[in-house]
Amino acid sequence: LPLISFTGSVPVGRQVASVVGQRLGRTLLELSGNNAIIVDETADLDMATRAILFGAVGTAGQRCTTTRRLFVHESRAEELIAKLVKAYNQISVGNPLEPNVLMGPLIDKAAVETYRQAIEEIKKEGGQVLHGGKVLPRPGYFVEPTIVQAHNHWPVVQRETFAPILYVMPFQSLDQAIDLQNSVPQGLSSAMFTNNLRHGERFLSAAGSDCGIANINIGTSG
């Protein structure tokens, strides 16, 4: 039987493969994700906002399929960012077992430090923090869910930070958005919001998303 290992670390994956290979075993590894959502110029932004919020903030960004990168058509970027910031302002952070608390803590002190270092790196790169970006001064490992305007080629964006940080980046054409989405060393999941069937077919084609899990959302929220 294969050894199934779920881990967010490529170095650990290499170590596992080396150890298992010595006994001619097989491995099935999930080694992190840098998951993206594309929102084109035809998308229903209300529907997209709810999905992005759940994808980026659910489980405090500590899920292999957490939404980490958001590519939005430049003609809709300002409107979508405004909707997201408004939604993020309504997020309550605390004990997730309590009613009305949407986001819980990070797993440990090391995760909080990784979050803090990522925010510092973002600022050094010239990124604009649109919401959040702070460690909360309370007992436990609580941070603010964060939205950042960034560039896809930045090292911090190219990595998977296991925390609720969403990188927002505009695009001009669908081909550019797909190229940007695919231009990271990780994969795993992706999604697209559009009301243009041809855009959806392009995204799902062999020339589209290179992620193992790719979904399109076509339609309206009504």
Side-chain angles (χ1 to χ4, degrees), residues 110-145:
V112 174
E113 180 61 18
T114 298
Y115 168 91
R116 187 188 64 77
Q117 290 177 357
I119 298 300
E120 289 184 1
E121 186 173 347
I122 289 162
K123 292 178 178 178
K124 289 179 180 178
E125 290 278 13
Q128 182 181 1
V129 177
L130 303 174
H131 182 276
K134 297 177 182 177
V135 176
L136 295 176
R138 65 173 74 162
Y141 308 121
F142 296 96
V143 301
E144 292 181 326

PDB file of all heavy atoms in Angstrom, residues 110-145:
ATOM      1  N   ALA A 110       4.816  29.987  16.436  1.00  0.00           N
ATOM      2  CA  ALA A 110       5.626  30.011  15.209  1.00  0.00           C
ATOM      3  C   ALA A 110       4.800  30.481  14.026  1.00  0.00           C
ATOM      4  O   ALA A 110       5.300  31.214  13.152  1.00  0.00           O
ATOM      5  CB  ALA A 110       6.200  28.629  14.941  1.00  0.00           C
ATOM      6  N   ALA A 111       3.530  30.087  13.969  1.00  0.00           N
ATOM      7  CA  ALA A 111       2.659  30.524  12.878  1.00  0.00           C
ATOM      8  C   ALA A 111       2.410  32.025  12.935  1.00  0.00           C
ATOM      9  O   ALA A 111       2.365  32.702  11.896  1.00  0.00           O
ATOM     10  CB  ALA A 111       1.342  29.757  12.931  1.00  0.00           C
ATOM     11  N   VAL A 112       2.262  32.548  14.146  1.00  0.00           N
ATOM     12  CA  VAL A 112       2.094  33.997  14.308  1.00  0.00           C
ATOM     13  C   VAL A 112       3.347  34.729  13.834  1.00  0.00           C
ATOM     14  O   VAL A 112       3.261  35.763  13.162  1.00  0.00           O
ATOM     15  CB  VAL A 112       1.780  34.342  15.776  1.00  0.00           C
ATOM     16  CG1 VAL A 112       1.761  35.855  15.976  1.00  0.00           C
ATOM     17  CG2 VAL A 112       0.447  33.735  16.195  1.00  0.00           C
ATOM     18  N   GLU A 113       4.505  34.195  14.148  1.00  0.00           N
ATOM     19  CA  GLU A 113       5.751  34.829  13.725  1.00  0.00           C
ATOM     20  C   GLU A 113       5.896  34.785  12.199  1.00  0.00           C
ATOM     21  O   GLU A 113       6.360  35.750  11.588  1.00  0.00           O
ATOM     22  CB  GLU A 113       6.932  34.135  14.402  1.00  0.00           C
ATOM     23  CG  GLU A 113       8.295  34.720  14.043  1.00  0.00           C
ATOM     24  CD  GLU A 113       8.460  36.167  14.444  1.00  0.00           C
ATOM     25  OE1 GLU A 113       7.691  36.667  15.294  1.00  0.00           O
ATOM     26  OE2 GLU A 113       9.364  36.827  13.881  1.00  0.00           O
ATOM     27  N   THR A 114       5.499  33.688  11.594  1.00  0.00           N
ATOM     28  CA  THR A 114       5.536  33.591  10.132  1.00  0.00           C
ATOM     29  C   THR A 114       4.625  34.634   9.504  1.00  0.00           C
ATOM     30  O   THR A 114       4.993  35.276   8.506  1.00  0.00           O
ATOM     31  CB  THR A 114       5.114  32.180   9.688  1.00  0.00           C
ATOM     32  OG1 THR A 114       6.037  31.220  10.207  1.00  0.00           O
ATOM     33  CG2 THR A 114       5.091  32.072   8.176  1.00  0.00           C
ATOM     34  N   TYR A 115       3.444  34.809  10.081  1.00  0.00           N
ATOM     35  CA  TYR A 115       2.518  35.854   9.628  1.00  0.00           C
ATOM     36  C   TYR A 115       3.155  37.227   9.746  1.00  0.00           C
ATOM     37  O   TYR A 115       3.139  38.027   8.793  1.00  0.00           O
ATOM     38  CB  TYR A 115       1.235  35.767  10.445  1.00  0.00           C
ATOM     39  CG  TYR A 115       0.276  36.925  10.314  1.00  0.00           C
ATOM     40  CD1 TYR A 115      -0.729  36.923   9.362  1.00  0.00           C
ATOM     41  CD2 TYR A 115       0.370  38.023  11.182  1.00  0.00           C
ATOM     42  CE1 TYR A 115      -1.622  37.982   9.259  1.00  0.00           C
ATOM     43  CE2 TYR A 115      -0.519  39.081  11.085  1.00  0.00           C
ATOM     44  CZ  TYR A 115      -1.508  39.054  10.116  1.00  0.00           C
ATOM     45  OH  TYR A 115      -2.387  40.111  10.014  1.00  0.00           O
ATOM     46  N   ARG A 116       3.726  37.520  10.904  1.00  0.00           N
ATOM     47  CA  ARG A 116       4.330  38.829  11.141  1.00  0.00           C
ATOM     48  C   ARG A 116       5.472  39.096  10.161  1.00  0.00           C
ATOM     49  O   ARG A 116       5.587  40.197   9.612  1.00  0.00           O
ATOM     50  CB  ARG A 116       4.846  38.907  12.584  1.00  0.00           C
ATOM     51  CG  ARG A 116       5.336  40.281  12.996  1.00  0.00           C
ATOM     52  CD  ARG A 116       6.005  40.235  14.351  1.00  0.00           C
ATOM     53  NE  ARG A 116       7.207  39.405  14.320  1.00  0.00           N
ATOM     54  CZ  ARG A 116       8.361  39.809  13.799  1.00  0.00           C
ATOM     55  NH1 ARG A 116       8.490  41.018  13.276  1.00  0.00           N
ATOM     56  NH2 ARG A 116       9.409  38.999  13.803  1.00  0.00           N
ATOM     57  N   GLN A 117       6.306  38.098   9.935  1.00  0.00           N
ATOM     58  CA  GLN A 117       7.426  38.262   9.008  1.00  0.00           C
ATOM     59  C   GLN A 117       6.936  38.495   7.582  1.00  0.00           C
ATOM     60  O   GLN A 117       7.527  39.281   6.831  1.00  0.00           O
ATOM     61  CB  GLN A 117       8.335  37.039   9.075  1.00  0.00           C
ATOM     62  CG  GLN A 117       9.115  36.926  10.378  1.00  0.00           C
ATOM     63  CD  GLN A 117       9.950  35.664  10.443  1.00  0.00           C
ATOM     64  OE1 GLN A 117       9.925  34.828   9.544  1.00  0.00           O
ATOM     65  NE2 GLN A 117      10.702  35.499  11.535  1.00  0.00           N
ATOM     66  N   ALA A 118       5.851  37.808   7.199  1.00  0.00           N
ATOM     67  CA  ALA A 118       5.289  38.008   5.868  1.00  0.00           C
ATOM     68  C   ALA A 118       4.782  39.436   5.694  1.00  0.00           C
ATOM     69  O   ALA A 118       5.007  40.063   4.646  1.00  0.00           O
ATOM     70  CB  ALA A 118       4.163  37.004   5.615  1.00  0.00           C
ATOM     71  N   ILE A 119       4.125  39.971   6.707  1.00  0.00           N
ATOM     72  CA  ILE A 119       3.632  41.355   6.631  1.00  0.00           C
ATOM     73  C   ILE A 119       4.799  42.332   6.506  1.00  0.00           C
ATOM     74  O   ILE A 119       4.751  43.283   5.714  1.00  0.00           O
ATOM     75  CB  ILE A 119       2.768  41.693   7.868  1.00  0.00           C
ATOM     76  CG1 ILE A 119       1.524  40.790   7.924  1.00  0.00           C
ATOM     77  CG2 ILE A 119       2.373  43.160   7.849  1.00  0.00           C
ATOM     78  CD1 ILE A 119       0.608  40.904   6.740  1.00  0.00           C
ATOM     79  N   GLU A 120       5.860  42.111   7.268  1.00  0.00           N
ATOM     80  CA  GLU A 120       7.034  42.975   7.165  1.00  0.00           C
ATOM     81  C   GLU A 120       7.645  42.909   5.776  1.00  0.00           C
ATOM     82  O   GLU A 120       8.039  43.941   5.196  1.00  0.00           O
ATOM     83  CB  GLU A 120       8.071  42.564   8.216  1.00  0.00           C
ATOM     84  CG  GLU A 120       7.689  42.911   9.647  1.00  0.00           C
ATOM     85  CD  GLU A 120       8.796  42.569  10.625  1.00  0.00           C
ATOM     86  OE1 GLU A 120       9.852  42.088  10.184  1.00  0.00           O
ATOM     87  OE2 GLU A 120       8.588  42.791  11.841  1.00  0.00           O
ATOM     88  N   GLU A 121       7.735  41.720   5.216  1.00  0.00           N
ATOM     89  CA  GLU A 121       8.305  41.557   3.880  1.00  0.00           C
ATOM     90  C   GLU A 121       7.433  42.248   2.832  1.00  0.00           C
ATOM     91  O   GLU A 121       7.940  42.863   1.894  1.00  0.00           O
ATOM     92  CB  GLU A 121       8.456  40.074   3.551  1.00  0.00           C
ATOM     93  CG  GLU A 121       9.177  39.812   2.244  1.00  0.00           C
ATOM     94  CD  GLU A 121       9.468  38.340   2.021  1.00  0.00           C
ATOM     95  OE1 GLU A 121       9.342  37.540   2.980  1.00  0.00           O
ATOM     96  OE2 GLU A 121       9.814  37.993   0.877  1.00  0.00           O
ATOM     97  N   ILE A 122       6.124  42.126   2.987  1.00  0.00           N
ATOM     98  CA  ILE A 122       5.191  42.793   2.074  1.00  0.00           C
ATOM     99  C   ILE A 122       5.430  44.297   2.064  1.00  0.00           C
ATOM    100  O   ILE A 122       5.506  44.936   1.006  1.00  0.00           O
ATOM    101  CB  ILE A 122       3.737  42.490   2.490  1.00  0.00           C
ATOM    102  CG1 ILE A 122       3.391  41.031   2.183  1.00  0.00           C
ATOM    103  CG2 ILE A 122       2.763  43.428   1.800  1.00  0.00           C
ATOM    104  CD1 ILE A 122       2.170  40.534   2.928  1.00  0.00           C
ATOM    105  N   LYS A 123       5.560  44.873   3.241  1.00  0.00           N
ATOM    106  CA  LYS A 123       5.763  46.323   3.337  1.00  0.00           C
ATOM    107  C   LYS A 123       7.099  46.741   2.733  1.00  0.00           C
ATOM    108  O   LYS A 123       7.198  47.782   2.078  1.00  0.00           O
ATOM    109  CB  LYS A 123       5.668  46.764   4.798  1.00  0.00           C
ATOM    110  CG  LYS A 123       4.260  46.622   5.380  1.00  0.00           C
ATOM    111  CD  LYS A 123       4.227  47.017   6.843  1.00  0.00           C
ATOM    112  CE  LYS A 123       2.821  46.917   7.418  1.00  0.00           C
ATOM    113  NZ  LYS A 123       2.771  47.260   8.871  1.00  0.00           N
ATOM    114  N   LYS A 124       8.146  45.927   2.939  1.00  0.00           N
ATOM    115  CA  LYS A 124       9.453  46.232   2.352  1.00  0.00           C
ATOM    116  C   LYS A 124       9.404  46.180   0.832  1.00  0.00           C
ATOM    117  O   LYS A 124      10.096  46.936   0.149  1.00  0.00           O
ATOM    118  CB  LYS A 124      10.511  45.267   2.887  1.00  0.00           C
ATOM    119  CG  LYS A 124      10.879  45.497   4.348  1.00  0.00           C
ATOM    120  CD  LYS A 124      11.920  44.497   4.822  1.00  0.00           C
ATOM    121  CE  LYS A 124      12.278  44.724   6.285  1.00  0.00           C
ATOM    122  NZ  LYS A 124      13.260  43.726   6.788  1.00  0.00           N
ATOM    123  N   GLU A 125       8.584  45.293   0.290  1.00  0.00           N
ATOM    124  CA  GLU A 125       8.434  45.183  -1.161  1.00  0.00           C
ATOM    125  C   GLU A 125       7.636  46.341  -1.743  1.00  0.00           C
ATOM    126  O   GLU A 125       7.654  46.572  -2.953  1.00  0.00           O
ATOM    127  CB  GLU A 125       7.741  43.861  -1.513  1.00  0.00           C
ATOM    128  CG  GLU A 125       8.569  42.621  -1.286  1.00  0.00           C
ATOM    129  CD  GLU A 125       9.537  42.344  -2.427  1.00  0.00           C
ATOM    130  OE1 GLU A 125       9.741  43.243  -3.276  1.00  0.00           O
ATOM    131  OE2 GLU A 125      10.101  41.244  -2.461  1.00  0.00           O
ATOM    132  N   GLY A 126       6.924  47.075  -0.883  1.00  0.00           N
ATOM    133  CA  GLY A 126       6.097  48.177  -1.353  1.00  0.00           C
ATOM    134  C   GLY A 126       4.628  47.837  -1.456  1.00  0.00           C
ATOM    135  O   GLY A 126       3.848  48.588  -2.046  1.00  0.00           O
ATOM    136  N   GLY A 127       4.238  46.694  -0.894  1.00  0.00           N
ATOM    137  CA  GLY A 127       2.835  46.297  -0.921  1.00  0.00           C
ATOM    138  C   GLY A 127       1.986  47.183  -0.027  1.00  0.00           C
ATOM    139  O   GLY A 127       2.454  47.697   0.994  1.00  0.00           O
ATOM    140  N   GLN A 128       0.735  47.338  -0.408  1.00  0.00           N
ATOM    141  CA  GLN A 128      -0.193  48.155   0.364  1.00  0.00           C
ATOM    142  C   GLN A 128      -1.138  47.265   1.144  1.00  0.00           C
ATOM    143  O   GLN A 128      -1.876  46.470   0.554  1.00  0.00           O
ATOM    144  CB  GLN A 128      -0.999  49.083  -0.559  1.00  0.00           C
ATOM    145  CG  GLN A 128      -1.955  50.001   0.191  1.00  0.00           C
ATOM    146  CD  GLN A 128      -2.770  50.885  -0.739  1.00  0.00           C
ATOM    147  OE1 GLN A 128      -2.626  50.800  -1.967  1.00  0.00           O
ATOM    148  NE2 GLN A 128      -3.624  51.720  -0.185  1.00  0.00           N
ATOM    149  N   VAL A 129      -1.115  47.378   2.460  1.00  0.00           N
ATOM    150  CA  VAL A 129      -2.030  46.614   3.303  1.00  0.00           C
ATOM    151  C   VAL A 129      -3.377  47.340   3.303  1.00  0.00           C
ATOM    152  O   VAL A 129      -3.496  48.457   3.801  1.00  0.00           O
ATOM    153  CB  VAL A 129      -1.485  46.467   4.735  1.00  0.00           C
ATOM    154  CG1 VAL A 129      -2.495  45.724   5.610  1.00  0.00           C
ATOM    155  CG2 VAL A 129      -0.152  45.731   4.731  1.00  0.00           C
ATOM    156  N   LEU A 130      -4.385  46.696   2.729  1.00  0.00           N
ATOM    157  CA  LEU A 130      -5.706  47.304   2.589  1.00  0.00           C
ATOM    158  C   LEU A 130      -6.593  47.032   3.797  1.00  0.00           C
ATOM    159  O   LEU A 130      -7.525  47.779   4.065  1.00  0.00           O
ATOM    160  CB  LEU A 130      -6.388  46.770   1.327  1.00  0.00           C
ATOM    161  CG  LEU A 130      -5.615  46.968   0.025  1.00  0.00           C
ATOM    162  CD1 LEU A 130      -6.331  46.262  -1.127  1.00  0.00           C
ATOM    163  CD2 LEU A 130      -5.449  48.449  -0.278  1.00  0.00           C
ATOM    164  N   HIS A 131      -6.293  45.968   4.494  1.00  0.00           N
ATOM    165  CA  HIS A 131      -7.023  45.646   5.733  1.00  0.00           C
ATOM    166  C   HIS A 131      -6.165  44.718   6.557  1.00  0.00           C
ATOM    167  O   HIS A 131      -5.498  43.822   6.031  1.00  0.00           O
ATOM    168  CB  HIS A 131      -8.363  44.975   5.425  1.00  0.00           C
ATOM    169  CG  HIS A 131      -9.155  44.669   6.674  1.00  0.00           C
ATOM    170  ND1 HIS A 131      -8.954  43.533   7.432  1.00  0.00           N
ATOM    171  CD2 HIS A 131     -10.130  45.365   7.303  1.00  0.00           C
ATOM    172  CE1 HIS A 131      -9.773  43.544   8.463  1.00  0.00           C
ATOM    173  NE2 HIS A 131     -10.500  44.637   8.406  1.00  0.00           N
ATOM    174  N   GLY A 132      -6.186  44.902   7.868  1.00  0.00           N
ATOM    175  CA  GLY A 132      -5.504  43.989   8.777  1.00  0.00           C
ATOM    176  C   GLY A 132      -4.008  44.208   8.826  1.00  0.00           C
ATOM    177  O   GLY A 132      -3.520  45.343   8.794  1.00  0.00           O
ATOM    178  N   GLY A 133      -3.276  43.116   8.950  1.00  0.00           N
ATOM    179  CA  GLY A 133      -1.824  43.183   8.980  1.00  0.00           C
ATOM    180  C   GLY A 133      -1.214  43.222  10.366  1.00  0.00           C
ATOM    181  O   GLY A 133      -0.006  43.411  10.495  1.00  0.00           O
ATOM    182  N   LYS A 134      -2.014  43.002  11.407  1.00  0.00           N
ATOM    183  CA  LYS A 134      -1.490  43.120  12.764  1.00  0.00           C
ATOM    184  C   LYS A 134      -1.741  41.849  13.576  1.00  0.00           C
ATOM    185  O   LYS A 134      -2.728  41.141  13.378  1.00  0.00           O
ATOM    186  CB  LYS A 134      -2.144  44.302  13.484  1.00  0.00           C
ATOM    187  CG  LYS A 134      -1.859  45.656  12.851  1.00  0.00           C
ATOM    188  CD  LYS A 134      -2.595  46.762  13.588  1.00  0.00           C
ATOM    189  CE  LYS A 134      -2.353  48.109  12.939  1.00  0.00           C
ATOM    190  NZ  LYS A 134      -3.118  49.195  13.614  1.00  0.00           N
ATOM    191  N   VAL A 135      -0.803  41.588  14.497  1.00  0.00           N
ATOM    192  CA  VAL A 135      -1.002  40.553  15.502  1.00  0.00           C
ATOM    193  C   VAL A 135      -1.849  41.151  16.610  1.00  0.00           C
ATOM    194  O   VAL A 135      -1.559  42.248  17.107  1.00  0.00           O
ATOM    195  CB  VAL A 135       0.346  40.049  16.056  1.00  0.00           C
ATOM    196  CG1 VAL A 135       0.126  39.036  17.172  1.00  0.00           C
ATOM    197  CG2 VAL A 135       1.195  39.458  14.937  1.00  0.00           C
ATOM    198  N   LEU A 136      -2.899  40.461  17.017  1.00  0.00           N
ATOM    199  CA  LEU A 136      -3.811  41.016  18.015  1.00  0.00           C
ATOM    200  C   LEU A 136      -3.233  40.856  19.420  1.00  0.00           C
ATOM    201  O   LEU A 136      -2.791  39.763  19.798  1.00  0.00           O
ATOM    202  CB  LEU A 136      -5.168  40.325  17.919  1.00  0.00           C
ATOM    203  CG  LEU A 136      -5.919  40.576  16.606  1.00  0.00           C
ATOM    204  CD1 LEU A 136      -7.215  39.768  16.568  1.00  0.00           C
ATOM    205  CD2 LEU A 136      -6.221  42.060  16.440  1.00  0.00           C
ATOM    206  N   PRO A 137      -3.237  41.932  20.215  1.00  0.00           N
ATOM    207  CA  PRO A 137      -2.637  41.906  21.563  1.00  0.00           C
ATOM    208  C   PRO A 137      -3.580  41.286  22.586  1.00  0.00           C
ATOM    209  O   PRO A 137      -4.207  41.974  23.381  1.00  0.00           O
ATOM    210  CB  PRO A 137      -2.393  43.396  21.847  1.00  0.00           C
ATOM    211  CG  PRO A 137      -3.492  44.096  21.091  1.00  0.00           C
ATOM    212  CD  PRO A 137      -3.731  43.270  19.847  1.00  0.00           C
ATOM    213  N   ARG A 138      -3.660  39.983  22.547  1.00  0.00           N
ATOM    214  CA  ARG A 138      -4.520  39.264  23.496  1.00  0.00           C
ATOM    215  C   ARG A 138      -3.934  37.880  23.715  1.00  0.00           C
ATOM    216  O   ARG A 138      -3.115  37.415  22.911  1.00  0.00           O
ATOM    217  CB  ARG A 138      -5.949  39.165  22.952  1.00  0.00           C
ATOM    218  CG  ARG A 138      -6.053  38.314  21.681  1.00  0.00           C
ATOM    219  CD  ARG A 138      -7.488  38.089  21.254  1.00  0.00           C
ATOM    220  NE  ARG A 138      -8.080  39.267  20.663  1.00  0.00           N
ATOM    221  CZ  ARG A 138      -9.184  39.227  19.908  1.00  0.00           C
ATOM    222  NH1 ARG A 138      -9.783  38.066  19.685  1.00  0.00           N
ATOM    223  NH2 ARG A 138      -9.680  40.329  19.394  1.00  0.00           N
ATOM    224  N   PRO A 139      -4.317  37.191  24.766  1.00  0.00           N
ATOM    225  CA  PRO A 139      -3.822  35.816  24.970  1.00  0.00           C
ATOM    226  C   PRO A 139      -4.218  34.918  23.799  1.00  0.00           C
ATOM    227  O   PRO A 139      -5.334  35.011  23.282  1.00  0.00           O
ATOM    228  CB  PRO A 139      -4.519  35.388  26.269  1.00  0.00           C
ATOM    229  CG  PRO A 139      -4.844  36.676  26.967  1.00  0.00           C
ATOM    230  CD  PRO A 139      -5.149  37.658  25.880  1.00  0.00           C
ATOM    231  N   GLY A 140      -3.292  34.075  23.388  1.00  0.00           N
ATOM    232  CA  GLY A 140      -3.561  33.195  22.258  1.00  0.00           C
ATOM    233  C   GLY A 140      -2.839  33.662  21.012  1.00  0.00           C
ATOM    234  O   GLY A 140      -2.089  34.642  21.035  1.00  0.00           O
ATOM    235  N   TYR A 141      -3.090  32.974  19.919  1.00  0.00           N
ATOM    236  CA  TYR A 141      -2.352  33.215  18.682  1.00  0.00           C
ATOM    237  C   TYR A 141      -3.267  33.830  17.632  1.00  0.00           C
ATOM    238  O   TYR A 141      -3.534  33.247  16.572  1.00  0.00           O
ATOM    239  CB  TYR A 141      -1.748  31.902  18.190  1.00  0.00           C
ATOM    240  CG  TYR A 141      -0.942  31.183  19.250  1.00  0.00           C
ATOM    241  CD1 TYR A 141      -1.284  29.898  19.653  1.00  0.00           C
ATOM    242  CD2 TYR A 141       0.148  31.804  19.864  1.00  0.00           C
ATOM    243  CE1 TYR A 141      -0.557  29.242  20.635  1.00  0.00           C
ATOM    244  CE2 TYR A 141       0.869  31.159  20.848  1.00  0.00           C
ATOM    245  CZ  TYR A 141       0.520  29.882  21.229  1.00  0.00           C
ATOM    246  OH  TYR A 141       1.242  29.243  22.208  1.00  0.00           O
ATOM    247  N   PHE A 142      -3.744  35.030  17.927  1.00  0.00           N
ATOM    248  CA  PHE A 142      -4.739  35.682  17.083  1.00  0.00           C
ATOM    249  C   PHE A 142      -4.098  36.775  16.217  1.00  0.00           C
ATOM    250  O   PHE A 142      -3.289  37.562  16.699  1.00  0.00           O
ATOM    251  CB  PHE A 142      -5.856  36.280  17.935  1.00  0.00           C
ATOM    252  CG  PHE A 142      -6.658  35.256  18.685  1.00  0.00           C
ATOM    253  CD1 PHE A 142      -6.365  34.960  20.008  1.00  0.00           C
ATOM    254  CD2 PHE A 142      -7.681  34.576  18.058  1.00  0.00           C
ATOM    255  CE1 PHE A 142      -7.095  34.015  20.704  1.00  0.00           C
ATOM    256  CE2 PHE A 142      -8.427  33.620  18.749  1.00  0.00           C
ATOM    257  CZ  PHE A 142      -8.131  33.341  20.075  1.00  0.00           C
ATOM    258  N   VAL A 143      -4.500  36.805  14.944  1.00  0.00           N
ATOM    259  CA  VAL A 143      -4.039  37.838  14.018  1.00  0.00           C
ATOM    260  C   VAL A 143      -5.244  38.377  13.260  1.00  0.00           C
ATOM    261  O   VAL A 143      -6.329  37.790  13.275  1.00  0.00           O
ATOM    262  CB  VAL A 143      -3.004  37.276  13.022  1.00  0.00           C
ATOM    263  CG1 VAL A 143      -1.802  36.703  13.754  1.00  0.00           C
ATOM    264  CG2 VAL A 143      -3.628  36.232  12.099  1.00  0.00           C
ATOM    265  N   GLU A 144      -5.023  39.505  12.599  1.00  0.00           N
ATOM    266  CA  GLU A 144      -6.084  40.080  11.785  1.00  0.00           C
ATOM    267  C   GLU A 144      -6.101  39.440  10.395  1.00  0.00           C
ATOM    268  O   GLU A 144      -5.042  39.253   9.795  1.00  0.00           O
ATOM    269  CB  GLU A 144      -5.877  41.589  11.634  1.00  0.00           C
ATOM    270  CG  GLU A 144      -6.048  42.382  12.898  1.00  0.00           C
ATOM    271  CD  GLU A 144      -5.844  43.869  12.676  1.00  0.00           C
ATOM    272  OE1 GLU A 144      -5.004  44.230  11.825  1.00  0.00           O
ATOM    273  OE2 GLU A 144      -6.507  44.672  13.351  1.00  0.00           O
ATOM    274  N   PRO A 145      -7.283  39.117   9.870  1.00  0.00           N
ATOM    275  CA  PRO A 145      -7.354  38.695   8.471  1.00  0.00           C
ATOM    276  C   PRO A 145      -6.925  39.868   7.595  1.00  0.00           C
ATOM    277  O   PRO A 145      -7.310  41.010   7.846  1.00  0.00           O
ATOM    278  CB  PRO A 145      -8.834  38.339   8.280  1.00  0.00           C
ATOM    279  CG  PRO A 145      -9.551  39.128   9.324  1.00  0.00           C
ATOM    280  CD  PRO A 145      -8.608  39.221  10.495  1.00  0.00           C
TER     281      PRO A 145
END
